[in-house]
PDB file of all heavy atoms in Angstrom:
ATOM      1  N   CYS P 132     -74.875 104.252 -83.861  1.00 96.00           N
ATOM      2  CA  CYS P 132     -75.382 105.186 -82.864  1.00 96.00           C
ATOM      3  C   CYS P 132     -76.620 104.557 -82.225  1.00 96.00           C
ATOM      4  O   CYS P 132     -77.335 103.788 -82.876  1.00 96.00           O
ATOM      5  CB  CYS P 132     -75.744 106.515 -83.534  1.00 96.00           C
ATOM      6  SG  CYS P 132     -76.631 107.702 -82.503  1.00 96.00           S
ATOM      7  N   VAL P 182     -67.980 108.039 -85.831  1.00 95.00           N
ATOM      8  CA  VAL P 182     -69.187 108.480 -86.545  1.00 95.00           C
ATOM      9  C   VAL P 182     -69.673 109.859 -86.091  1.00 95.00           C
ATOM     10  O   VAL P 182     -70.124 110.665 -86.917  1.00 95.00           O
ATOM     11  CB  VAL P 182     -70.336 107.452 -86.417  1.00 95.00           C
ATOM     12  CG1 VAL P 182     -70.015 106.178 -87.148  1.00 95.00           C
ATOM     13  CG2 VAL P 182     -70.662 107.169 -84.962  1.00 95.00           C
ATOM     14  N   ALA P 186     -69.890 113.222 -88.538  1.00 95.00           N
ATOM     15  CA  ALA P 186     -71.171 113.909 -88.727  1.00 95.00           C
ATOM     16  C   ALA P 186     -71.073 115.382 -88.356  1.00 95.00           C
ATOM     17  O   ALA P 186     -71.668 116.241 -89.028  1.00 95.00           O
ATOM     18  CB  ALA P 186     -72.251 113.213 -87.890  1.00 95.00           C
ATOM     19  N   ILE P 203     -76.966 115.943 -85.476  1.00 94.00           N
ATOM     20  CA  ILE P 203     -76.042 114.814 -85.648  1.00 94.00           C
ATOM     21  C   ILE P 203     -76.826 113.557 -86.004  1.00 94.00           C
ATOM     22  O   ILE P 203     -76.507 112.836 -86.963  1.00 94.00           O
ATOM     23  CB  ILE P 203     -75.240 114.576 -84.352  1.00 94.00           C
ATOM     24  CG1 ILE P 203     -74.324 115.762 -84.038  1.00 94.00           C
ATOM     25  CG2 ILE P 203     -74.445 113.266 -84.440  1.00 94.00           C
ATOM     26  CD1 ILE P 203     -73.134 115.911 -84.940  1.00 94.00           C
ATOM     27  N   HIS P 204     -77.874 113.287 -85.247  1.00 93.00           N
ATOM     28  CA  HIS P 204     -78.628 112.050 -85.445  1.00 93.00           C
ATOM     29  C   HIS P 204     -79.408 112.081 -86.754  1.00 93.00           C
ATOM     30  O   HIS P 204     -79.514 111.059 -87.442  1.00 93.00           O
ATOM     31  CB  HIS P 204     -79.563 111.837 -84.255  1.00 93.00           C
ATOM     32  CG  HIS P 204     -78.844 111.858 -82.952  1.00 93.00           C
ATOM     33  ND1 HIS P 204     -79.351 112.448 -81.803  1.00 93.00           N
ATOM     34  CD2 HIS P 204     -77.615 111.386 -82.600  1.00 93.00           C
ATOM     35  CE1 HIS P 204     -78.488 112.320 -80.828  1.00 93.00           C
ATOM     36  NE2 HIS P 204     -77.424 111.696 -81.276  1.00 93.00           N
ATOM     37  N   SER P 205     -79.944 113.239 -87.098  1.00 91.00           N
ATOM     38  CA  SER P 205     -80.645 113.380 -88.368  1.00 91.00           C
ATOM     39  C   SER P 205     -79.691 113.119 -89.535  1.00 91.00           C
ATOM     40  O   SER P 205     -80.032 112.413 -90.494  1.00 91.00           O
ATOM     41  CB  SER P 205     -81.250 114.780 -88.480  1.00 91.00           C
ATOM     42  OG  SER P 205     -81.959 114.927 -89.693  1.00 91.00           O
ATOM     43  N   TYR P 206     -78.485 113.669 -89.451  1.00 94.00           N
ATOM     44  CA  TYR P 206     -77.492 113.460 -90.514  1.00 94.00           C
ATOM     45  C   TYR P 206     -77.132 111.982 -90.635  1.00 94.00           C
ATOM     46  O   TYR P 206     -77.073 111.429 -91.749  1.00 94.00           O
ATOM     47  CB  TYR P 206     -76.236 114.285 -90.224  1.00 94.00           C
ATOM     48  CG  TYR P 206     -75.123 114.042 -91.222  1.00 94.00           C
ATOM     49  CD1 TYR P 206     -75.108 114.710 -92.441  1.00 94.00           C
ATOM     50  CD2 TYR P 206     -74.110 113.124 -90.947  1.00 94.00           C
ATOM     51  CE1 TYR P 206     -74.096 114.467 -93.375  1.00 94.00           C
ATOM     52  CE2 TYR P 206     -73.099 112.879 -91.873  1.00 94.00           C
ATOM     53  CZ  TYR P 206     -73.101 113.548 -93.073  1.00 94.00           C
ATOM     54  OH  TYR P 206     -72.108 113.295 -94.001  1.00 94.00           O
ATOM     55  N   LEU P 207     -76.890 111.315 -89.500  1.00 95.00           N
ATOM     56  CA  LEU P 207     -76.513 109.901 -89.535  1.00 95.00           C
ATOM     57  C   LEU P 207     -77.607 109.062 -90.185  1.00 95.00           C
ATOM     58  O   LEU P 207     -77.324 108.153 -90.983  1.00 95.00           O
ATOM     59  CB  LEU P 207     -76.227 109.399 -88.119  1.00 95.00           C
ATOM     60  CG  LEU P 207     -74.984 109.977 -87.431  1.00 95.00           C
ATOM     61  CD1 LEU P 207     -74.898 109.478 -85.981  1.00 95.00           C
ATOM     62  CD2 LEU P 207     -73.712 109.601 -88.195  1.00 95.00           C
ATOM     63  N   LEU P 208     -78.870 109.353 -89.844  1.00 93.00           N
ATOM     64  CA  LEU P 208     -79.980 108.602 -90.421  1.00 93.00           C
ATOM     65  C   LEU P 208     -80.081 108.822 -91.929  1.00 93.00           C
ATOM     66  O   LEU P 208     -80.305 107.881 -92.697  1.00 93.00           O
ATOM     67  CB  LEU P 208     -81.285 109.006 -89.730  1.00 93.00           C
ATOM     68  CG  LEU P 208     -81.475 108.447 -88.314  1.00 93.00           C
ATOM     69  CD1 LEU P 208     -82.538 109.234 -87.559  1.00 93.00           C
ATOM     70  CD2 LEU P 208     -81.849 106.965 -88.377  1.00 93.00           C
ATOM     71  N   LYS P 209     -79.902 110.050 -92.348  1.00 92.00           N
ATOM     72  CA  LYS P 209     -80.004 110.358 -93.777  1.00 92.00           C
ATOM     73  C   LYS P 209     -78.837 109.795 -94.577  1.00 92.00           C
ATOM     74  O   LYS P 209     -78.947 109.605 -95.791  1.00 92.00           O
ATOM     75  CB  LYS P 209     -80.110 111.873 -93.967  1.00 92.00           C
ATOM     76  CG  LYS P 209     -81.441 112.436 -93.461  1.00 92.00           C
ATOM     77  CD  LYS P 209     -81.500 113.953 -93.512  1.00 92.00           C
ATOM     78  CE  LYS P 209     -82.837 114.451 -92.977  1.00 92.00           C
ATOM     79  NZ  LYS P 209     -82.923 115.934 -92.936  1.00 92.00           N
ATOM     80  N   GLN P 210     -77.734 109.509 -93.884  1.00 94.00           N
ATOM     81  CA  GLN P 210     -76.577 108.899 -94.538  1.00 94.00           C
ATOM     82  C   GLN P 210     -76.649 107.369 -94.510  1.00 94.00           C
ATOM     83  O   GLN P 210     -75.717 106.692 -94.946  1.00 94.00           O
ATOM     84  CB  GLN P 210     -75.287 109.372 -93.868  1.00 94.00           C
ATOM     85  CG  GLN P 210     -74.974 110.842 -94.070  1.00 94.00           C
ATOM     86  CD  GLN P 210     -74.798 111.205 -95.533  1.00 94.00           C
ATOM     87  OE1 GLN P 210     -74.026 110.563 -96.241  1.00 94.00           O
ATOM     88  NE2 GLN P 210     -75.519 112.226 -95.992  1.00 94.00           N
ATOM     89  N   GLY P 211     -77.739 106.850 -93.976  1.00 93.00           N
ATOM     90  CA  GLY P 211     -77.913 105.405 -93.965  1.00 93.00           C
ATOM     91  C   GLY P 211     -77.161 104.684 -92.873  1.00 93.00           C
ATOM     92  O   GLY P 211     -77.004 103.453 -92.924  1.00 93.00           O
ATOM     93  N   LYS P 212     -76.708 105.414 -91.884  1.00 94.00           N
ATOM     94  CA  LYS P 212     -76.005 104.775 -90.776  1.00 94.00           C
ATOM     95  C   LYS P 212     -76.999 103.973 -89.921  1.00 94.00           C
ATOM     96  O   LYS P 212     -78.197 104.227 -89.920  1.00 94.00           O
ATOM     97  CB  LYS P 212     -75.308 105.827 -89.906  1.00 94.00           C
ATOM     98  CG  LYS P 212     -74.221 106.615 -90.619  1.00 94.00           C
ATOM     99  CD  LYS P 212     -73.060 105.719 -91.033  1.00 94.00           C
ATOM    100  CE  LYS P 212     -71.933 106.541 -91.660  1.00 94.00           C
ATOM    101  NZ  LYS P 212     -70.785 105.676 -92.071  1.00 94.00           N
ATOM    102  N   VAL P 214     -78.733 103.395 -86.839  1.00 95.00           N
ATOM    103  CA  VAL P 214     -79.078 104.125 -85.623  1.00 95.00           C
ATOM    104  C   VAL P 214     -80.192 103.377 -84.894  1.00 95.00           C
ATOM    105  O   VAL P 214     -81.309 103.258 -85.406  1.00 95.00           O
ATOM    106  CB  VAL P 214     -79.522 105.569 -85.938  1.00 95.00           C
ATOM    107  CG1 VAL P 214     -79.866 106.308 -84.641  1.00 95.00           C
ATOM    108  CG2 VAL P 214     -78.430 106.309 -86.705  1.00 95.00           C
TER     109      VAL P 214
END
Side-chain angles (χ1 to χ4, degrees):
C132 171
V182 292
I203 295 288
H204 305 141
S205 181
Y206 176 83
L207 292 175
L208 285 162
K209 291 174 181 177
Q210 292 299 308
K212 297 295 184 180
V214 180

